[in-house]
Amino acid sequence: MLMAAATFNSLTLPFSKPEFPFSSIARTHVPTPTLNLSWFRPNGFLLCSLSSDHPTTATGGQLHHKANTNSTDPQPQIHSCTWNWKGYSIRYQCSGSSGPALVLVHGFGANSNHWRKNIPVLAKSHRVYAIDLIGYGYSDKPNPREVGDSFYTFETWGSQLNDFCSSVVKDKAFFICNSIGGLVGLQAAVAKPEICRGLFLLNISLRMLHVKKQPWFGRPFIASFQSLLRNTAVGKLFFRSVATPESVRSILCQCYHDTSQVTEELVQIILHPGLETGAVDVFLEFICYSGGPLPEELLPQVECPVLIAWGDKDPWESIELGRAYGDFDTVEDFVVLPNVGYCPQDEAPHLVNPLVESFVSRHSKSPANASTTI
């Protein structure tokens, strides 16, 4: 959950410069970052409140919104459903009856409610699905100690996403992703390229505590700290101390540039699923997950079009770091979202929704990328 943030604000460790293993494809390298242990705010554990939609214009690579005077359009009905995946109950939402299929993938600790500002707008011309990844939201949360160390990984979630498209969507789909959801979308697209029609990545997690990005002298400290949280009572005590409305509100106000969006409703929406049975164990398991893929390893392998958009006021993973990911040959564009924080789809749906619509429309016209039952 996001609640882990404030405790680690003051402790930083220098990084060595990340090395992209596919340097022949990446045209620039990521600038040398600083490891801020405020990472333990699980980036992406943000949900949304009310809906709005405004058309946009693009100027100099940035987006600006114009007022929409037509706010009386009827909203498509949103259905909340469950899907049995390998014996586990998976919650998802769906809306819309025609158009290309979109699957919206939330970030760490969030759920499909994170997309409440996007689903009804996009469903006017698309078939929209938003899934709760296993371990999060209102999907089952099997105990990590019972299912094994390799369960809560991007390989698992990528497999879940592809199976969801095959079993529920029954079609190719565009993946619209935020935070670690971007890694899930990338992993799914690499594993089964025939399913993903395109990837739209919003402030993708750069995984700055991955073992490959840790300085050699910091690795023992980080590993010891992760072990302390995961294997002793300290982790659950820590979780309980930050799983309060006051802590959640404080952390949300850090990652939302427009703090007026941090309402009491939003705070409660975030807090509630994080207090469900099993949520704390999944949380502790993930913050100790320092392996698995990195975005710079997956991006060169995807075969579908990729668009990256980034809120330029993201306090956790700065746009300066994000820009380098726009230089991969597989990425068609990098769009700056002005005055927006870490979760643009919630804070600035009036910017994000038209971008999604334009991206999907542009890549739905090619016969090679046409919708096909799978």
Side-chain angles (χ1 to χ4, degrees):
M1 293 173 60
L2 283 172
M3 288 86 77
T7 307
F8 304 97
N9 281 344
S10 61
L11 182 56
T12 61
L13 291 173
F15 266 120
S16 58
K17 191 172 184 178
E19 295 295 333
F20 285 174
F22 301 93
S23 58
S24 61
I25 299 176
R27 292 193 292 272
T28 63
H29 293 284
V30 172
T32 303
T34 297
L35 170 60
N36 190 328
L37 289 187
S38 62
W39 172 89
F40 284 96
R41 322 169 247 227
N43 293 347
F45 187 19
L46 304 177
L47 308 178
C48 63
S49 50
L50 301 178
S51 172
S52 75
D53 181 33
H54 305 273
T56 65
T57 57
T59 305
Q62 295 196 359
L63 292 182
H64 308 275
H65 74 274
K66 298 186 293 185
N68 185 357
T69 57
N70 183 12
S71 59
T72 60
D73 293 342
Q75 299 294 314
Q77 186 175 0
I78 301 174
H79 305 276
S80 183
C81 312
T82 57
W83 164 55
N84 186 302
W85 182 62
K86 299 184 177 181
Y88 300 111
S89 177
I90 303 299
R91 181 247 195 163
Y92 68 95
Q93 300 183 58
C94 60
S95 186
S97 58
S98 63
L102 315 181
V103 180
L104 315 183
V105 188
H106 62 77
F108 175 43
N111 63 55
S112 55
N113 288 341
H114 197 182
W115 302 95
R116 295 192 309 165
K117 293 180 180 178
N118 316 100
I119 296 172
V121 176
L122 298 174
K124 293 176 183 178
S125 54
H126 307 83
R127 291 170 291 137
V128 181
Y129 300 82
I131 188 172
D132 287 5
L133 298 173
I134 191 165
Y136 297 113
Y138 299 97
S139 290
D140 280 351
K141 302 170 180 63
N143 191 310
R145 298 183 185 277
E146 296 175 0
V147 295
D149 293 343
S150 61
F151 188 79
Y152 289 110
T153 65
F154 291 111
E155 289 79 7
T156 296
W157 291 314
S159 176
Q160 179 190 357
L161 184 55
N162 283 330
D163 290 348
F164 179 76
C165 290
S166 298
S167 301
V168 178
V169 181
K170 299 183 185 299
D171 199 355
K172 294 181 178 182
F174 291 88
F175 298 159
I176 317 300
C177 314
N178 174 233
S179 181
I180 69 159
L183 273 297
V184 175
L186 283 169
Q187 180 65 48
V190 168
K192 291 192 174 181
E194 68 274 15
I195 290 179
C196 184
R197 301 180 69 182
L199 280 160
F200 186 103
L201 307 176
L202 290 157
N203 290 62
I204 186 172
S205 171
L206 304 183
R207 304 203 63 202
M208 301 310 292
L209 280 188
H210 193 284
V211 65
K212 293 180 181 178
K213 295 185 176 182
Q214 297 172 16
W216 65 268
F217 55 85
R219 290 175 188 172
F221 166 77
I222 294 171
S224 296
F225 182 77
Q226 290 172 329
S227 178
L228 179 70
L229 289 177
R230 183 183 181 191
N231 298 317
T232 72
V234 172
K236 291 185 178 180
L237 288 172
F238 166 66
F239 184 87
R240 286 198 294 268
S241 73
V242 294
T244 66
E246 295 77 16
S247 294
V248 172
R249 175 176 291 277
S250 173
I251 295 162
L252 284 168
C253 286
Q254 294 178 37
C255 69
Y256 273 56
H257 181 66
D258 178 7
T259 57
S260 69
Q261 300 293 322
V262 183
T263 63
E264 184 60 29
E265 178 189 23
L266 175 61
V267 170
Q268 291 303 321
I269 288 173
I270 291 171
L271 190 58
H272 186 266
L275 297 179
E276 286 204 337
T277 301
V280 59
D281 298 302
V282 177
F283 165 73
L284 294 173
E285 183 73 11
F286 187 79
I287 65 174
C288 297
Y289 177 40
S290 296
L294 291 165
E296 54 264 36
E297 296 170 342
L298 294 174
L299 274 170
Q301 302 181 60
V302 298
E303 300 177 11
C304 63
V306 180
L307 178 66
I308 298 178
W310 212 280
D312 68 350
K313 303 299 183 184
D314 182 345
W316 295 344
E317 293 179 304
S318 72
I319 194 168
E320 287 74 21
L321 294 178
R323 285 184 192 276
Y325 293 82
D327 290 321
F328 282 89
D329 289 343
T330 50
V331 178
E332 67 175 33
D333 202 3
F334 183 95
V335 180
V336 177
L337 302 174
N339 298 313
V340 180
Y342 188 73
C343 287
Q345 77 276 19
D346 182 36
E347 188 177 351
H350 55 282
L351 299 181
V352 171
N353 291 335
L355 268 179
V356 173
E357 292 169 336
S358 174
F359 174 71
V360 172
S361 174
R362 190 161 61 250
H363 295 289
S364 296
K365 298 175 182 177
S366 169
N369 204 23
S371 177
T372 305
T373 301
I374 56 175

